[in-house]
Amino acid sequence: RPGGSAARGPGAVTPKIVALLNSQSPFIVARAAHLLGKFRHKKAVPLLCEKLRGHVNTEVKRQAMAALCKIRDPKSIQASIDALSSTDSTVRTLAAQNLGYLHAKSAMPRLLDVLAVDPNPDAPDRIAALLALADIGHTDCLVPAAVRVKGLGKKDDKAIVYLFQTLSRKLPPEVEAETLMAILDDDSQLLRRFAIQRLGVLQLPMA
């Protein structure tokens, strides 16, 4: 019937929810961002980026970044790169995830920087950055990433090995062998083991 459930669906209410992003209440802004992410409302991306960059409330920033992760719009790339410098680990983690989803090659230098931000083992932002680098697929990140991830946790080890497993075979055999040789003294036993196994597969003559 007219005015039934279809008229009250997400498409009918999202303009009002977008307007709530300008509320004076951080709680309302955070909830609005959450809903816009749930609805994957692309028209909200510019305002979500604005809240991510400029709002003073941490939960608002987290919800804005989480919404952008769900929407996955390339227009959020620069705001996500900027969010890698956040003092909040959750924001950095979500930003790295979004950049991986979007295969944002321009984010590689800042993702490498994130690897050294938190000295604690298995920091979520560092693991997210390693997985994002794997998704982006730029092989130039391999050795710089290994240099930054040293003597840390088990999840760190698995993530750096995953990065190498994903990307090293994209290199020409001679270049891959040089790259693998460069990590044979790495602190990660898992990474050293991968390098040795992969060198065995390549079977290139060593000088």
Side-chain angles (χ1 to χ4, degrees):
R1 59 185 172 85
S5 59
R8 295 195 299 269
V13 301
T14 44
K16 293 183 178 180
I17 297 173
V18 172
L20 291 177
L21 290 176
N22 290 318
S23 169
Q24 295 300 308
S25 166
F27 174 80
I28 291 176
V29 178
R31 290 304 300 166
H34 172 78
L35 285 174
L36 291 166
K38 184 176 180 180
F39 297 154
R40 290 171 170 78
H41 190 59
K42 288 196 173 187
K43 290 183 179 179
V45 167
L47 196 50
L48 287 168
C49 290
E50 179 183 315
K51 299 305 170 184
L52 173 63
R53 283 176 162 139
H55 208 284
V56 296
N57 183 273
T58 299
E59 185 60 22
V60 168
K61 290 176 179 288
R62 289 177 176 179
Q63 291 299 332
M65 191 65 253
L68 293 171
C69 274
K70 292 178 180 177
I71 297 169
R72 301 187 186 184
D73 190 310
K75 293 178 182 176
S76 68
I77 287 176
Q78 189 55 54
S80 299
I81 291 174
D82 295 341
L84 292 175
S85 299
S86 172
T87 57
D88 183 70
S89 174
T90 299
V91 172
R92 295 195 304 271
T93 300
L94 291 167
Q97 290 172 352
N98 192 44
L99 292 164
Y101 295 149
L102 295 172
H103 304 283
K105 291 185 178 181
S106 60
M108 189 181 79
R110 297 290 289 276
L111 286 167
L112 287 169
D113 290 341
V114 169
L115 300 181
V117 170
D118 190 337
N120 294 309
D122 298 331
D125 59 335
R126 182 167 52 248
I127 293 168
L130 287 168
L131 297 180
L133 289 167
D135 287 339
I136 291 167
H138 203 305
T139 56
D140 286 352
C141 75
L142 287 172
V143 173
V147 169
R148 287 165 172 81
V149 181
K150 285 189 174 294
L152 298 171
K154 292 181 179 179
K155 293 180 180 178
D156 292 309
D157 272 1
K158 290 180 180 178
I160 188 69
V161 170
Y162 174 77
L163 176 67
F164 271 79
Q165 287 174 332
T166 303
L167 299 186
S168 72
R169 64 194 64 204
K170 293 183 178 182
L171 295 165
E174 295 81 3
V175 177
E176 183 181 7
E178 291 177 5
T179 301
L180 296 171
M181 291 290 289
I183 60 170
L184 285 178
D185 61 349
D186 193 86
D187 290 348
S188 168
Q189 183 177 350
L190 281 178
L191 188 58
R192 294 197 307 271
R193 185 184 303 167
F194 166 76
I196 292 169
Q197 290 173 343
R198 186 66 187 155
L199 286 167
V201 170
L202 291 172
Q203 294 186 334
L204 294 175
M206 297 295 174

